[in-house]
Amino acid sequence: MRVTIFGTRSYDRQFLTAANAGHDHELRFLEAGLDRATAPLAAGSDAVCAFVNDCLDAEVIELLAGLGVRIVALRCAGYNNVDLEAAARSGIAVTRVPAYSPHAVAEFTIGLLLALDRKIHRAWSRVRENNYALDGLVGRNLHGRIMGVVGTGQIGALVARTLRAGFGCEVLASDPVPDPELEAIGVHYTSVDSLLREADVISLHCPLTPDTKHMINAATLAQARPGLIVVNTSRGALIDTRALIDALKARSVGGVALDVYEQEAGIFFDDLSSEIIDDDLLQRLLTFPNVLVTGHQAFLTEEALSAIAQTTLGSLSDFEKGSPLAHQILPVGRAGQVLP
Ligand code: NAD
């Protein structure tokens, strides 16, 4: 198939090209992200491959359909950026990569938490200037602390298990579908509200939906324990960033580690080190000594990139052959495959 791949970086090109040896699609790599202005660049393609911050609203979907695009293959798990109803109306199939390496994201989550809590990033800056003083670097043990894991799907379950079995934490979890294997190792399920009231650390692993948008907001933060640490490697808009900044300024939140940010589109994945950034919220976040931000890199391991490339190109091959699409996503209430 002729595939236009939006928002590509060196690592996308490397892993998609390697995986294509087993598929033989005609891959066209574009650096530009997908939006209303760039959608026409997909002209002549049967398929579009998109990523987390690409815009696939109704207008973009209709533009793509008008160009003859028949399938959108997301090279990510989340699909909150896609208007699935519009895709179904336009006869465009949408696939994703539901599981590529939950370990990649779970391990990064624990790494972020440790780095923030033990101030490893700050220590490294000091040591590079031959400053070996330890004042201001006092952290806390994870062992024995109360961890709150929101969403115990593939990633959250690994985080909960590692915190419970590896670090010996008390783990509270919230998920509409409790995991009996986690319960068997002593993870206690409770409501998001009571988890927020009781946890020392909260780590977000549920999807972004209209129901979960801004689940961390001024009201929920007001109920939280003083000194709460917030970790988010899921989706930025789970957190109301303004409310989080207010809580940091009030010293009620003790630390924040983010791999995702509400307004990350147009900022993350690019080198803007010589640019003036207009986003005042992100810039304010970066001024706090107890905030650690990374640019949506939790998925970025060789294993994950290889699995993402294989699944994405595999879905396109299945579509081309008319085979069932194992990773198709449909609007709620619809079933079946949109055939080529
Ligand atoms: P998953 O579908 O396996 O698990 C999500 C879990 O959240 C499910 O168990 C679901 O029941 C639960 N859930 C749904 N609504 C909830 C609610 N209101 N409260 C509590 N739990 C709720 O997904 P996953 O593969 O574990 O991915 C989790 C998130 O991580 C996704 O949103 C995805 O976008 C994000 N992600 C981020 C990166 C990154 O690089 N930072 C990479 C991959 C995935």
Side-chain angles (χ1 to χ4, degrees), residues 108 112 233 257-261 264 268 292-298:
F108 192 86
L112 263 188
T233 59
L258 304 177
D259 185 50
V260 287
Y261 164 62
E264 67 180 54
F268 283 13
L292 178 54
V293 179
T294 50
H296 207 140
Q297 75 173 83

Side-chain angles (χ1 to χ4, degrees), residues 174-199:
S174 176
D175 194 305
V177 190
D179 179 340
E181 288 184 18
L182 291 179
E183 288 177 308
I185 61 166
V187 171
H188 297 290
Y189 278 88
T190 183
S191 66
V192 178
D193 281 353
S194 85
L195 180 150
L196 259 162
R197 279 195 300 273
E198 292 177 43

Side-chain angles (χ1 to χ4, degrees), residues 89-101:
R89 273 200 310 275
S90 304
I92 290 186
V94 182
T95 62
R96 66 176 180 136
V97 185
Y100 41 90
S101 177

Side-chain angles (χ1 to χ4, degrees), residues 4 36 53 56-57 77 115 122 124 149 157 171 190 194 196 209 226 231 276 281 304 328 330:
T4 297
R36 290 164 206 187
N53 291 326
L56 284 144
D57 61 11
R122 307 196 75 206
W124 170 233
V149 178
V171 180
T190 183
S194 85
L196 259 162
T209 65
V231 182
I276 291 171
L281 288 184
Q328 183 172 15
L330 294 156

Side-chain angles (χ1 to χ4, degrees), residues 180-252:
E181 288 184 18
L182 291 179
E183 288 177 308
I185 61 166
V187 171
H188 297 290
Y189 278 88
T190 183
S191 66
V192 178
D193 281 353
S194 85
L195 180 150
L196 259 162
R197 279 195 300 273
E198 292 177 43
D200 298 309
V201 176
I202 179 167
S203 190
L204 303 177
H205 302 286
C206 59
L208 175 62
T209 65
D211 288 342
T212 60
K213 184 171 181 200
H214 287 183
M215 71 188 314
I216 303 298
N217 55 44
T220 49
L221 287 169
Q223 296 171 15
R225 278 194 167 191
L228 174 75
I229 289 182
V230 179
V231 182
N232 188 8
T233 59
S234 183
R235 283 291 181 266
L238 293 174
I239 298 177
D240 178 346
T241 311
R242 275 180 203 282
L244 187 67
I245 289 172
D246 287 343
L248 280 159
K249 285 164 77 176
R251 281 87 169 157
S252 56

